[in-house]
Amino acid sequence: QVQLVESGGGLVQPGGSLRLSCAASGSFFSIERMGWYRQAPGKQRELVASITSGGSTTYADSVKGRFTISGEDAKNTVILQMNSLKPEDTAVYYCNVVAFVDVTPSNYWGKGILVTVSS
């Protein structure tokens, strides 16, 4: 199976920056996609950004131009650099990995990490 370890959340003032990291480990053949989702209180979980094994990226419209996702293939790690943070970015951020542990891809989730943007 796949284990995900997230780090980098915390409290930051509006306009500030944070860097989230997620490292995948365990028994899997390959990773198809890694990404970050977030869930604010009273709202549904939503995609923030993702990156495929081929390097293709997807971003939510609300974070385009402010957040950057990147992957460190050798370390099975995905990084989310968050700049110009806004109070509406406050949420629990979840790492998501789609990996092949057998012939079909499976979805894995981290435990979540809190990001609070407040003055």
Side-chain angles (χ1 to χ4, degrees), residues 35-47:
W36 290 92
Y37 287 69
R38 68 186 180 188
Q39 188 167 18
K43 295 187 177 181
Q44 290 188 333
R45 190 174 298 189
E46 62 175 359
L47 172 69

Side-chain angles (χ1 to χ4, degrees), residues 64-77:
K64 285 181 180 177
R66 300 189 297 122
F67 292 10
T68 302
I69 191 168
S70 60
E72 298 181 3
D73 293 345
K75 298 180 181 180
N76 293 320
T77 297

Side-chain angles (χ1 to χ4, degrees), residues 59-109:
Y59 293 94
D61 287 343
S62 59
V63 307
K64 285 181 180 177
R66 300 189 297 122
F67 292 10
T68 302
I69 191 168
S70 60
E72 298 181 3
D73 293 345
K75 298 180 181 180
N76 293 320
T77 297
V78 63
I79 305 295
L80 184 68
Q81 178 65 44
M82 305 186 293
N83 299 327
S84 302
L85 282 160
K86 304 175 181 180
E88 52 263 44
D89 294 318
T90 295
V92 176
Y93 285 69
Y94 296 89
C95 179
N96 172 260
V97 167
V98 178
F100 284 90
V101 298
D102 52 35
V103 296
T104 58
S106 298
N107 219 11
Y108 297 91
W109 293 92

Side-chain angles (χ1 to χ4, degrees), residues 7-30:
S7 61
L11 172 66
V12 64
Q13 293 186 342
S17 298
L18 280 176
R19 182 174 180 267
L20 302 184
S21 177
C22 174
S25 63
S27 300
F28 53 89
F29 296 111
S30 64

